[in-house]
Amino acid sequence: MEGPPRFECPLWCMLCRGGKAWLRQLCQGAGDVLRLPNSLLSAKLPQLCDIHQVPKVFQEDGITSGYRHPRSSALDCVLSSFQMTNETVNIWTHFLATWYFLWRFGMLWCSVDFVSESYNWPLLVYMLLICLYPFTSSCAHTFSTMSPEARHICFFFDYGAISLYSLGCAITYASYVMPNCWVNSWLHQHFVPFAVFNTLVCTGLSCYSRFLEMPFPRRSKILRTAAFVYPFIFDNIPLFHRLALCCEEDGCNPGEALSTHCCHLIFAFLTCFLFASHLPERLAPGRFDYIGHSHQLFHVCAVVGTHFQMEALLTDMTSRSAWMAANAAVPSLPGTVGALALGVALNLGIIAAFSAILLRAPRRRPASHDAKAEPSPELKEQ
Ligand SMILES: [Zn+2]
């Protein structure tokens, strides 16, 4: 008797074996993926340092503890955002703000024609930039402890994004905030080109100020503050004029938008004050290391101020659209998206130039990169 027919099919067997191997690989891969969160959770949270354990370039006035390792890996930097350090609130305040502004942008996208209606292009540029600056800041604070060089480059990008945000303000102020009596004036026509020039000055001075931080800390702080205050004052000239001289019959709707503009100005002043004063931690060093120090309050005030500015701009944009359409030239592509593209290119060029100086000329580095700050398993007292 013949036994049961044997099913001999080399191709089938090969496929079957290949399939088994493939299935085994797939299961192993899935297992690795499933194990990944566990390995992340079991990873040791980075060790924190006191002020004396980090190089001078990382030290902040009035903050004595909660510093991350000055040679953290990228993974440690990301993990540290889930650990309470003196940077955690800085990271999250601007990360959450990014999502808030993205959400507002998304809602506007549903109701405003940003593509074919040129009157809305300035708002498009502004919304992009108010999402960009908190996101860049959040990334800068997250990865600033990878090395002294990384710290400087992270904050070069942070300054560049703030500088571009001021350009976005100028583009919207020229289109929606300019007082009626200044529309079509010489200042109005040259407002955006001046603002593009201002981004060069702002980014250039603020990046340069990092090179003065160690030898001349006071001069560095004054220069950096001036670098940001100068474009802010320029951008707000039309608003200051409206606040000082505008009247009801001028058609500026003083009650409607100007009160919200005033809220923005109050928070902008607070932002500047906190940035320059280092209060409250200067009065009680060590008390506000984790929560409540000036940079965290500075972030919060900047975001709240930007929120009021956005609301005021939206009010002006809506209430003045008919008057602007009848009396002013419609915003052009070169004057809005083109100015943004030029600003981005110029800022990236400045950041690249300062980064190249930083990386190629160790002697001219902006801060003392203490040799003792080289990576070591245990941080030594310096
Ligand atoms: Zn910051």
Side-chain angles (χ1 to χ4, degrees), residues 137 141 158 295 298-299:
S137 162
H141 283 286
D158 190 17
H295 203 88
F298 156 78
H299 273 203

Side-chain angles (χ1 to χ4, degrees), residues 54-364:
V54 296
K56 217 165 165 39
V57 63
F58 291 93
Q59 297 175 5
E60 301 283 352
D61 279 353
I63 296 179
T64 58
S65 62
Y67 288 90
R68 294 173 293 172
H69 192 289
R71 291 273 181 190
S72 302
S73 66
L75 178 64
D76 279 349
C77 287
V78 174
L79 283 175
S80 76
S81 62
F82 299 99
Q83 178 189 17
M84 207 54 203
T85 74
N86 58 29
E87 286 281 21
T88 309
V89 177
N90 288 338
I91 294 166
W92 284 95
T93 42
H94 271 176
F95 187 72
L96 295 175
T98 306
W99 284 101
Y100 169 69
F101 290 125
L102 276 173
W103 170 67
R104 293 301 304 266
F105 191 16
M107 298 296 281
L108 282 169
W109 191 272
C110 298
S111 58
V112 176
D113 181 0
F114 281 118
V115 179
S116 54
E117 186 58 63
S118 60
Y119 183 67
N120 301 328
W121 292 342
L123 183 67
L124 171 70
V125 169
Y126 175 82
M127 293 307 297
L128 285 172
L129 292 173
I130 63 170
C131 296
L132 177 76
Y133 96 77
F135 179 70
T136 312
S137 162
S138 183
C139 291
H141 283 286
T142 303
F143 297 104
S144 62
T145 47
M146 290 182 73
S147 70
E149 294 81 6
R151 181 178 175 82
H152 292 302
I153 293 170
C154 279
F155 287 110
F156 289 163
F157 275 99
D158 190 17
Y159 302 157
I162 297 170
S163 174
L164 283 173
Y165 158 66
S166 78
L167 172 63
C169 294
I171 292 171
T172 41
Y173 278 40
S175 300
Y176 311 136
V177 180
M178 195 63 70
N180 292 358
C181 49
W182 282 4
V183 166
N184 300 324
S185 66
W186 183 86
L187 178 70
H188 188 198
Q189 284 165 358
H190 296 86
F191 201 68
V192 173
F194 268 125
V196 173
F197 171 74
N198 289 347
T199 63
L200 284 177
V201 178
C202 173
T203 311
L205 285 182
S206 53
C207 290
Y208 175 66
S209 75
R210 297 198 71 85
F211 287 75
L212 302 179
E213 211 166 36
M214 289 301 110
F216 312 107
R218 199 177 164 78
R219 205 179 296 177
S220 163
K221 192 76 187 174
I222 292 170
L223 191 64
R224 197 174 307 162
T225 309
F228 295 122
V229 169
Y230 152 66
F232 170 81
I233 290 178
F234 175 84
D235 290 349
N236 282 281
I237 288 172
L239 181 61
F240 293 146
H241 183 270
R242 273 177 66 187
L243 285 170
L245 301 169
C246 204
C247 54
E248 190 77 59
E249 47 276 21
D250 202 24
C252 301
N253 300 316
E256 207 178 341
L258 289 192
S259 56
T260 321
H261 276 303
C262 284
C263 291
H264 161 234
L265 290 179
I266 290 166
F267 277 95
F269 173 78
L270 268 174
T271 306
C272 178
F273 172 76
L274 289 164
F275 180 76
S277 67
H278 286 271
L279 291 173
E281 70 271 18
R282 184 173 273 183
L283 296 177
R287 276 277 179 86
F288 302 96
D289 288 356
Y290 293 91
I291 293 179
H293 63 73
S294 64
H295 203 88
Q296 298 169 354
L297 302 175
F298 156 78
H299 273 203
V300 172
C301 287
V303 169
V304 176
T306 307
H307 160 79
F308 280 119
Q309 184 185 42
M310 177 185 66
E311 296 295 346
L313 282 170
L314 288 170
T315 308
D316 265 340
M317 180 190 155
T318 311
S319 63
R320 303 183 76 204
S321 62
W323 192 92
M324 283 294 194
N327 295 281
V330 289
S332 66
L333 200 62
T336 53
V337 180
L340 172 64
L342 181 61
V344 169
L346 291 172
N347 272 274
L348 286 177
I350 294 172
I351 292 168
F354 276 105
S355 302
I357 295 169
L358 176 73
L359 296 172
R360 286 184 191 169
R363 277 183 217 161
R364 294 173 63 191

